[in-house]
Amino acid sequence: MALFCVLLIPGSFFLTVYFCCKPSQWWWFLPYFSYCLLDRSPWRGSRPLEWVRRAKAWVHFADYFPTSVELEKPDAKFDADAPYLFGCHPHGIISMGWFANIGTEARNISQVIPGVDIRLATLATSMRLPFLRDILLSLNFIAVDRQAISHVLKMGKGNAVGVVVGGATEALYSKPDCHALVLKRRRGFFREALIHGAHVVPCYSFGETDIYKLKEVAPQTQVAKFRSAFQKLSGVSMPLAYGRGIFQYWWGFIPFRRPINLVIGEPIAVEKRANPTDAEVAALQEQYLGRLTRLFDSYKHKYCVDPDNAHIHFVE
């Protein structure tokens, strides 16, 4: 199941190219491809299928690592009448933990936080790719852009969006025992929370960066320049990462089996501001950074291999 999830993107891309080059299949594929390009579901709250979210296959996927979900404070109150923005940290290489714990019902997230409907946001590019987009939409994913997020938050009453705030850039810092976050310049996340009066929830996925090893690239090399140009063009950062194989453990594309433990922090109440000032955005960001750091420090002795040397670094 882990291999299937890893191959979702390249597999969907391969099938798209294959059917584009197969004239005998154009009668059905071209209308479907056109529909994928024109359909606005990823920007209008998605279209989840509960039986897909609850499929037993996702439980096996989550058990592979294994993953877990818990609240920082078991008595934390989530008001079902308020919208929420969940800040998901860290990104990791492919965000496997976020996919398993929030993107599906493998760990019964709807029971952990009853009354709150969380939609995970992912690259808009993924929402244009045939086959992949339909799987993501059935799992309640939306596109990670302002229009799609704003649409969900305007729905109010327990609707929420989970945003992996560090994005593709943060994936380049994703290596075992590293807790580097790209958050300082992500002010749009906090501005949207103020505009819609959405409570913000800091979350940390311990072990997310441990399931792949990263080959670092010197900044001025041709590989680094190509990767930077590709990221600007597509939004994908292309970290040089590797995991294990099917029959051996030293190299491959399957993630290593490492526990991924998601801790969901207390919501930070946010008052609605139609036109928030830079000072208000900065104040909310500062409060959020403090809460996230507190959450990490409270749980690092439980989930980090070397807790005494484990610290969050806000690198950008």
Side-chain angles (χ1 to χ4, degrees):
M1 194 61 204
L3 180 60
F4 168 77
C5 291
V6 170
L7 294 177
L8 272 178
I9 296 176
S12 296
F13 179 77
F14 172 80
L15 286 174
T16 299
V17 173
Y18 173 79
F19 287 120
C20 281
C21 298
K22 197 82 170 175
S24 62
Q25 301 297 317
W26 286 358
W27 65 273
W28 71 270
F29 182 72
L30 291 183
Y32 170 56
F33 193 19
S34 300
Y35 168 75
C36 293
L37 297 177
L38 297 174
D39 179 40
R40 301 295 296 170
S41 295
W43 289 267
R44 293 177 179 170
S46 195
R47 45 176 173 77
L49 297 173
E50 199 61 25
W51 69 269
V52 177
R53 285 181 53 82
R54 295 185 180 278
K56 193 69 175 177
W58 306 127
V59 177
H60 294 309
F61 171 63
D63 287 344
Y64 170 81
F65 296 100
T67 72
S68 70
V69 180
E70 65 182 286
L71 298 177
E72 180 186 11
K73 294 191 174 180
D75 58 349
K77 294 182 179 179
F78 287 82
D79 184 0
D81 290 329
Y84 290 89
L85 265 178
F86 284 73
C88 306
H89 315 278
H91 183 283
I93 298 297
I94 316 181
S95 301
M96 291 288 193
W98 299 111
F99 183 92
N101 289 330
I102 294 183
T104 75
E105 282 292 327
R107 293 299 181 251
N108 299 309
I109 188 64
S110 62
Q111 295 178 26
V112 176
I113 311 177
V116 178
D117 183 12
I118 309 174
R119 294 165 172 82
L120 267 185
T122 189
L123 279 175
T125 308
S126 301
M127 290 302 188
R128 298 294 193 193
L129 189 60
F131 310 110
L132 173 65
R133 70 182 301 277
D134 291 295
I135 294 174
L136 295 177
L137 286 172
S138 67
L139 292 171
N140 212 17
F141 279 67
I142 63 171
V144 64
D145 68 20
R146 184 176 181 179
Q147 179 186 355
I149 293 171
S150 178
H151 179 87
V152 173
L153 296 181
K154 285 177 181 177
M155 293 165 66
K157 293 188 177 181
N159 284 284
V161 179
V163 181
V164 186
V165 187
T169 302
E170 194 171 89
L172 300 177
Y173 296 96
S174 181
K175 56 185 179 181
D177 302 321
C178 179
H179 307 282
L181 302 183
V182 176
L183 192 54
K184 288 183 178 180
R185 56 190 178 91
R186 297 291 202 252
R187 294 205 168 187
F189 176 81
F190 303 101
R191 190 175 299 277
E192 285 301 304
L194 286 162
I195 290 173
H196 297 283
H199 301 341
V200 291
V201 184
C203 307
Y204 200 89
S205 187
F206 292 88
E208 188 70 55
T209 60
D210 296 338
I211 60 176
Y212 282 100
K213 294 182 180 179
L214 183 69
K215 175 68 175 177
E216 297 192 49
V217 178
Q220 300 304 318
T221 61
Q222 292 299 317
V223 173
K225 292 177 181 178
F226 169 79
R227 186 167 66 181
S228 178
F230 186 82
Q231 182 178 346
K232 290 178 181 178
L233 180 66
S234 67
V236 179
S237 58
M238 292 182 65
L240 299 180
Y242 63 95
R244 52 161 289 188
I246 299 176
F247 302 112
Q248 44 76 25
Y249 293 88
W250 58 272
W251 189 89
F253 298 106
I254 301 175
F256 292 108
R257 299 188 71 175
R258 303 285 187 272
I260 301 176
N261 303 286
L262 170 59
V263 182
I264 300 173
E266 285 187 282
I268 300 172
V270 175
E271 288 189 26
K272 191 173 183 178
R273 294 280 192 274
N275 295 293
T277 64
D278 289 342
E280 289 172 330
V281 173
L284 178 59
Q285 182 183 33
E286 194 64 29
Q287 184 182 8
Y288 182 91
L289 295 179
R291 287 283 193 92
L292 181 61
T293 302
R294 184 190 74 181
L295 182 155
F296 180 86
D297 290 341
S298 298
Y299 279 84
K300 66 180 183 180
H301 287 87
K302 182 178 181 180
Y303 292 128
C304 291
V305 176
D306 185 11
D308 293 332
N309 293 312
H311 305 284
I312 280 184
H313 302 285
F314 299 109
V315 292
E316 294 185 38

